Amino acid sequence: MRSLLLTTICLTGSLALVACNNHRVETTDLSQQSTMEMPVASAAFTAFGNKEKSWRTVVKGNKLSVEADFLKPITVVVVGSANTNGFEYESTVNGQPIILNIRKNICIDDNGYQNEFIATLSYAGRTYQGCAVAGAIETAPT
């Protein structure tokens, strides 16, 4: 009788362990989150670069202003998105997609200054590297 009781206790304990091991806990891995629409009115950035070609962009609300060696000065309406890696703004200029990607990472510009973001501007099949800072910094009138 005693061995039957011990066998039952061991079997019950084993089944409980199997049940616990088969239980799947749902977790949220933030690094695997997909891109989601964000309220673009809540963010503003100034991005710039001088390698290969000079360029400068200002994002304020849902507007992206671009000044570049390869494009006439223009302001377009953008769609913004955010994920754990940073921000992305997209639009179309002259039938070509234009994408500004801003990632939180220290960036040293051509003058040796440290900036809080890395910026990448893509237009007409080309990609231009640069830096960015928080806030819309307008150019001084000349």
Side-chain angles (χ1 to χ4, degrees), residues 20-43:
C20 289
N21 286 338
N22 287 335
H23 178 69
R24 191 171 144 202
V25 176
E26 295 294 324
T27 60
T28 302
D29 183 357
L30 296 178
S31 67
Q32 298 299 317
Q33 281 186 339
S34 62
T35 301
M36 59 186 177
E37 295 299 313
M38 66 169 227
V40 291
S42 66

Side-chain angles (χ1 to χ4, degrees), residues 77-93:
V77 175
V78 291
V79 174
S81 60
N83 62 32
T84 57
N85 296 321
F87 300 89
E88 189 167 273
Y89 298 90
E90 296 182 53
S91 191
T92 303
V93 175

Side-chain angles (χ1 to χ4, degrees), residues 5 19 28 33 43 53 72-73 75-76 82 84 110 116 122 139-140:
L5 179 61
T28 302
Q33 281 186 339
K53 304 265 186 182
K72 292 181 188 176
T75 299
V76 294
T84 57
D110 293 338
E116 56 191 317
S122 300
T139 57

Side-chain angles (χ1 to χ4, degrees), residues 5-76:
L5 179 61
L6 288 176
T7 303
T8 304
I9 291 173
C10 288
L11 183 57
T12 305
S14 297
L15 290 174
L17 287 175
V18 169
C20 289
N21 286 338
N22 287 335
H23 178 69
R24 191 171 144 202
V25 176
E26 295 294 324
T27 60
T28 302
D29 183 357
L30 296 178
S31 67
Q32 298 299 317
Q33 281 186 339
S34 62
T35 301
M36 59 186 177
E37 295 299 313
M38 66 169 227
V40 291
S42 66
F45 296 98
T46 301
F48 50 90
N50 289 324
K51 300 212 190 251
E52 296 178 33
K53 304 265 186 182
S54 291
W55 60 275
R56 183 176 186 279
T57 64
V58 176
V59 177
K60 187 175 182 181
N62 66 343
K63 304 269 196 264
L64 172 68
S65 298
V66 182
E67 300 169 7
D69 291 345
F70 51 88
L71 185 65
K72 292 181 188 176
I74 191 166
T75 299
V76 294

